[in-house]
């Protein structure tokens, strides 16, 4: 309890406070702005002066925003399901079965995640057109796998590797097939990692903009990020910030709730593996 | 229930040989203990029997069927792993029922068999617990329970007691014997602990560096080890080895001289009789167990020396004796508590009837 201790403590809190401000303030500001009306928007303040839900009503009134939310939801869920299924299968092979070229495959997977999205855009577009998926939700699920699979496979492979061989061998002696070993024994043991990668995939799929803009055209297939970008004012020179902010809040809140719900599992996912079953 | 035969099994990892031509037959219902130091290939052998590893050469025969290339589950074997390898996310009940479930047993049958095994192992009250809520001994029982619920023809145990503390280990040894008496399942039990081997086995196979050195009933290995390695590995405290010199060899009887000058006469085993005395002389040693040496009170004194250390074990006393001309201390185990003290001079009688003579590490004569 010396001066040094106080300084260290104070410094730590200061850094923490700064970081918190940096992370949370934009969202707070969006929340405030979404509750303002008219010209109030352009006079910055920390506390809202008026609180109207006019902007929120406008979000749903001026376009099929509910439809966009539903689309985003379906795309996100589909992407997460496909990601976890494929990544778990791949991780089982890459993490637990010895075969020639295993490292090569792992590094190829890593390389894929290094391409910028624009670089694959035109090729992906051709693929989606060829498959007849243009302007449909599956086109987005398919393209998002490029973004979600590489890190999911890497994380799950690392976790699979940590599991002791003998547990798997015990299951094989018990007469379990490979698929049963994966679903009944290994997957439950890496559940925290599945939750963590699933959440990251969910966030990516929910927020993705470029693919969604390119591969969909109609309002029926539009997802939330695109819908927000397309919100326009009554004249060309007016940006309806209030409505955009309201829309942003609407789509951020469910994500926040989900992440907070799974928070405990995420933390254990990031630190597990050190503990032996 | 099945017999097991291993025929010329060989296995290498890369260039490193792990098993070199293993031949072993285990009768139906027999309790075979494979014993040997760490790294000699015991686990590899067990995994080959289970089908978790493939031998490079040789065959595994179970119940008369050549099963070398069969998948593990079809072989009718169950294994208890050294780490137990319980499924951490399942209750004890689910751990034990998983195999039956895979075999598509009915709900009622699963329930009956799990409760039967739990009853035998006295873990009925633990069935709803997860492995992390169980003590080491309890996990051990669940692991054994998981193996017996499937009523395997062959039961494989990989150092099942090595993770338990000494008291529990003694207790579980007795339970394993009881379990085997009750179920009569062919068992291969692997351990590095020779006490475990002596107390459990119908027959013991002693392994070293991927080879089987000797197979036989515990007491026959104790009395008549075929070589120095088996002699030193089986029995505690360890056998004494004393270098001796050849004094004479006639009519199949060998006469050797101890460092103090005393002589021992022993008949050579028939299969070693052809060995000419000259080659026999290479590294001639006698092996004699500490419990067979006699502290001589004015009687015959084959060795003499000064007591360096006295170890009181309660039921016995172990004397470490420094004898001139002998490199290592000679150890004598005397029954009960004795009055000998460090620093005292002691004369030792070496009964020829309890000695083994080794030439270049191979036993050529047994007193007993
Ligand atoms: N999967 C493996 N890869 C490479 N070497 C192995 C493997 N398993 C065992 N070995 C080697 O084979 C030898 C025998 O091992 P093991 O059968 O586990 O011995 P034990 O069970 O008697 O201690 C050891 O030298 C060990 O290093
Ligand atoms: Mg081993």
């Amino acid at each position: 309890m010396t001066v040094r201790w106080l300084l260290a403590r104070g410094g730590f809190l200061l850094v923490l406070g700064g970081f918190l401000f940096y992370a949370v303030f934009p969202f707070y500001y969006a929340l405030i702005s979404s509750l303002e009306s008219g010209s109030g928007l352009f006079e910055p303040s920390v506390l809202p002066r008026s609180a109207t839900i006019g902007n929120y009503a406008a979000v749903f009134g001026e376009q099929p925003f509910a439809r966009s939310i539903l689309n985003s939801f379906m795309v996100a869920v589909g992407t997460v399901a496909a990601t976890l299924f494929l990544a778990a299968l791949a991780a089982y092979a890459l993490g637990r079965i010895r075969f020639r070229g295993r490292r090569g495959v792992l590094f190829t997977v890593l390389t894929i995640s290094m391409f910028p999205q624009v670089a694959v855009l035109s090729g992906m577009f051709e693929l989606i057109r060829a498959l007849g998926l243009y302007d449909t939700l599956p086109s987005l699920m398919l393209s998002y796998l490029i973004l979600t699979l590489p890190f999911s496979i890497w994380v799950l492979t690392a976790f699979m590797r940590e599991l002791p061989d003998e547990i798997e061998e015990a299951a094989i002696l018990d007469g379990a097939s490979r698929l049963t070993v994966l679903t009944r024994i290994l997957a439950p043991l890496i559940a925290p990692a599945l939750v963590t990668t699933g959440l990251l995939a969910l966030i990516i799929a929910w927020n993705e903009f470029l693919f969604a803009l390119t591969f969909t055209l109609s309002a029926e297939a539009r997802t939330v990020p695109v819908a927000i970008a397309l919100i326009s004012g009554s004249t060309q020179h007016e940006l309806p910030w209030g409505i955009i902010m309201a829309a942003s809040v609407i789509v951020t809140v469910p994500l926040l709730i989900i992440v907070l719900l799974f928070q405990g599992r995420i933390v254990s996912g990031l630190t597990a593996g050190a503990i032996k079953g | 229930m099945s017999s097991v035969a291993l025929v010329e099994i060989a296995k290498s990892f890369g260039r490193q040989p792990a098993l070199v031509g293993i031949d072993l037959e285990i009768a139906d219902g027999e309790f075979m203990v494979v014993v040997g130091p760490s790294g000699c290939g015991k686990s590899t052998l067990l995994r080959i029997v289970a089908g978790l590893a493939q031998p490079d050469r040789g065959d595994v025969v179970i119940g008369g069927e050549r099963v070398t290339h069969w998948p593990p589950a079809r072989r009718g074997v169950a294994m208890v792993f050294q780490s137990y390898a319980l499924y951490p996310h399942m209750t004890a009940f689910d751990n034990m029922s998983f195999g039956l479930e895979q075999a598509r047993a009915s709900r009622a049958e699963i329930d009956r068999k799990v409760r039967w095994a739990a009853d035998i192992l006295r873990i009925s009250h633990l069935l709803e617990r997860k492995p992390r809520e169980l003590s080491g001994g309890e996990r051990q029982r669940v692991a054994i329970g998981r193996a017996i619920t499937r009523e395997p023809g062959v039961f494989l145990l990989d150092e099942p007691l090595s993770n338990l503390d000494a008291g529990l280990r003694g207790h579980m040894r007795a339970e394993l014997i009881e379990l085997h008496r009750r179920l009569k399942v062919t068992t291969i039990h692997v351990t590095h602990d020779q006490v475990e081997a002596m107390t459990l086995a119908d027959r013991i196979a002693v392994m070293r560096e991927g080879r089987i050195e000797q197979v036989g009933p515990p007491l026959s290995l104790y009395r008549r080890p075929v070589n120095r390695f088996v002699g030193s590995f089986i029995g505690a405290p360890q056998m004494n080895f004393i270098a001796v010199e050849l004094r004479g060899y006639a009519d199949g009887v060998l006469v050797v001289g101890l460092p103090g000058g005393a002589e021992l006469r022993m008949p050579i085993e028939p299969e070693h009789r052809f060995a000419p005395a000259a080659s026999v002389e290479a590294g001639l040693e006698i092996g004699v167990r500490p419990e067979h040496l006699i502290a001589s009170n004015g009687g015959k004194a084959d060795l003499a020396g000064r007591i360096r250390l006295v170890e009181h074990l309660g039921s016995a006393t172990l004397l470490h004796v420094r004898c001139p001309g002998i490199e290592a201390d000679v150890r004598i185990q005397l029954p009960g508590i004795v009055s000998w003290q460090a620093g005292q001079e002691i004369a030792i009688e070496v009964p020829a009837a309890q000695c083994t003579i080794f030439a270049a590490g191979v036993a050529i004569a047994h007193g007993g």
Side-chain angles (χ1 to χ4, degrees), chain A residues 98, chain B residues 13 16-18 36-45 158-159 190:
Chain A
R98 278 165 195 248
Chain B
F13 294 103
Q16 165 103 353
S38 231
C40 71
K42 307 180 297 289
S43 296
T44 306
L45 187 69
D158 192 353
E159 312 218 9
V190 150

Side-chain angles (χ1 to χ4, degrees), chain A residues 124-140 211-218 221:
Chain A
M124 201 57 164
F125 188 76
E126 290 302 323
L127 177 70
I128 280 166
R129 270 243 309 257
L131 292 174
L133 294 177
Y134 181 67
D135 201 24
T136 65
L137 296 182
S139 73
L140 298 185
F211 285 166
L213 181 68
T214 316
F215 302 149
T216 63
L217 186 66
S218 61

Side-chain angles (χ1 to χ4, degrees), chain A residues 164 166-177 180-181 184-186 188-189 276-277, chain B residues 47 50 52 72-73 77 79 81-83 85-90 98-99 101-102 146 150:
Chain A
E166 295 194 339
I167 290 185
E168 187 181 351
E169 289 174 348
I172 289 173
L173 274 176
D174 265 344
S177 66
T180 308
V181 170
R184 296 278 314 273
I185 308 292
L186 300 179
L189 293 180
K276 222 176 151 187
Chain B
R47 292 166 50 82
L52 295 170
V77 302
M79 184 153 167
F81 293 88
Q82 186 168 1
S83 64
L86 296 175
Y87 312 127
H89 57 299
M90 295 187 190
F98 186 74
E101 217 180 290
Q102 299 308 310
R146 178 171 68 179
R150 289 194 300 131

Side-chain angles (χ1 to χ4, degrees), chain B residues 91-365:
Chain B
T91 61
F93 185 98
D94 292 341
N95 263 281
M96 290 164 69
S97 65
F98 186 74
L100 292 169
E101 217 180 290
Q102 299 308 310
R104 310 207 188 288
S106 71
R107 182 72 60 92
E109 189 187 353
I110 290 177
D111 205 64
R112 184 174 56 75
K113 286 189 174 164
V114 170
R115 299 208 181 276
W116 163 79
D119 191 43
I120 290 181
L121 294 160
R122 296 198 301 278
I123 48 173
S124 301
H125 58 296
L126 304 172
L127 286 177
E128 294 315 313
R129 298 221 197 142
K130 298 257 179 82
R132 66 168 171 280
E133 299 156 346
L134 298 171
S135 71
E138 289 165 349
R139 284 180 201 179
Q140 167 79 80
R141 282 161 198 271
V142 175
I144 294 175
R146 178 171 68 179
I148 65 174
T149 44
R150 289 194 300 131
E151 299 177 76
V154 182
F155 202 26
L156 307 173
L157 300 148
D158 192 353
E159 312 218 9
L161 308 184
S162 64
N163 288 340
L164 303 178
D165 58 53
L168 204 51
R169 199 178 307 160
H171 184 70
M172 278 310 289
R173 267 203 316 256
E175 297 227 342
L176 280 180
I177 294 173
E178 182 56 37
L179 190 68
H180 182 252
R181 188 169 298 151
R182 204 163 155 178
L183 303 179
K184 298 257 182 299
V185 180
T186 312
T187 303
I188 308 180
H189 177 120
V190 150
T191 178
H192 63 262
D193 179 357
Q194 61 90 25
V195 177
E196 216 171 292
M198 294 294 284
T199 50
L200 288 172
D202 291 328
R203 281 192 306 151
I204 297 177
V206 181
M207 275 185 76
R208 173 171 61 162
E209 292 173 8
R211 283 169 220 281
I212 291 185
E213 299 279 336
Q214 187 173 6
V215 185
L219 290 182
S220 121
L221 265 60
Y222 173 82
R223 290 207 188 101
R224 303 170 71 85
V226 295
N227 59 31
R228 193 182 197 278
F229 175 78
V230 176
S232 69
F233 198 82
I234 298 290
Q238 236 184 40
M239 186 179 252
N240 292 297
F241 293 98
I242 302 167
V244 293
E245 63 183 39
L246 185 66
R247 290 277 164 76
Y249 172 55
D251 302 331
V253 175
L254 199 62
V255 183
V256 295
L258 288 164
E263 287 186 347
L264 289 179
R265 315 167 66 66
M266 291 176 67
I268 293 196
E269 300 286 307
E271 70 266 30
H272 292 295
R273 287 219 174 122
F274 63 87
S279 78
V280 154
E281 198 171 2
L284 216 51
E285 279 177 313
I286 63 162
V288 58
R289 299 193 180 277
E291 56 270 36
H292 293 150
L293 291 172
I294 301 160
S296 166
N297 276 325
K300 183 164 164 276
D302 300 309
L303 293 171
R306 184 184 295 275
I307 298 173
R308 207 175 55 76
L309 182 66
V310 180
E311 282 185 79
H312 290 286
L313 308 174
S315 61
T317 307
L318 193 64
L319 308 180
H320 295 243
V321 181
R322 178 96 249 142
C323 298
I326 301 177
E327 213 167 301
D329 283 353
V330 174
R331 278 155 299 139
I332 315 171
Q333 180 172 295
L334 302 172
I337 299 164
V338 298
S339 57
W340 288 104
Q341 292 191 349
Q344 279 183 304
E345 295 285 341
I346 185 170
I348 304 166
E349 187 185 332
V350 182
Q354 310 280 14
C355 290
T356 299
I357 295 188
F358 299 99
V362 178
I364 57 167

